[in-house]
Amino acid sequence: SLVTKIKNNKGESTMIPSDPMILVSFLNTQLRDNYSSLEDLCDSLDLDENQIKQKLEGIGYTYNSELNRFA
């Protein structure tokens, strides 16, 4: 599947990309436009921060808190 359906803490469904390369682009856009940190994004979308980090480390991306993006 190209997307993973998740529910946020309000019970609303959110679709996030399951492909790591598309996911990193999605997350960086969300971080740039809507969230001040990865922690805020994960809290809001009810995502497991460590799981996200591990998935993206698998393709060579790490979260940079000063830049608020995966690079």
Side-chain angles (χ1 to χ4, degrees):
S1 167
L2 293 175
V3 293
T4 302
K5 190 175 193 176
I6 56 148
K7 289 193 182 290
N8 66 16
N9 46 20
K10 296 177 194 155
E12 301 161 335
S13 291
T14 302
M15 303 294 268
I16 66 163
S18 55
D19 179 278
M21 291 303 293
I22 299 170
L23 179 61
V24 74
S25 176
F26 169 81
L27 291 173
N28 280 340
T29 300
Q30 291 296 311
L31 289 165
R32 181 191 71 214
D33 295 347
N34 302 312
Y35 299 99
S36 60
S37 70
L38 180 61
E39 184 179 0
D40 285 348
L41 182 150
C42 289
D43 285 347
S44 178
L45 299 180
D46 199 23
L47 299 172
D48 183 317
E49 186 175 341
N50 290 324
Q51 197 174 37
I52 295 288
K53 286 180 176 179
Q54 285 178 343
K55 185 168 190 168
L56 296 181
E57 283 171 4
I59 59 165
Y61 284 86
T62 55
Y63 178 68
N64 181 320
S65 58
E66 287 181 16
L67 298 175
N68 190 33
R69 63 173 296 157
F70 284 91

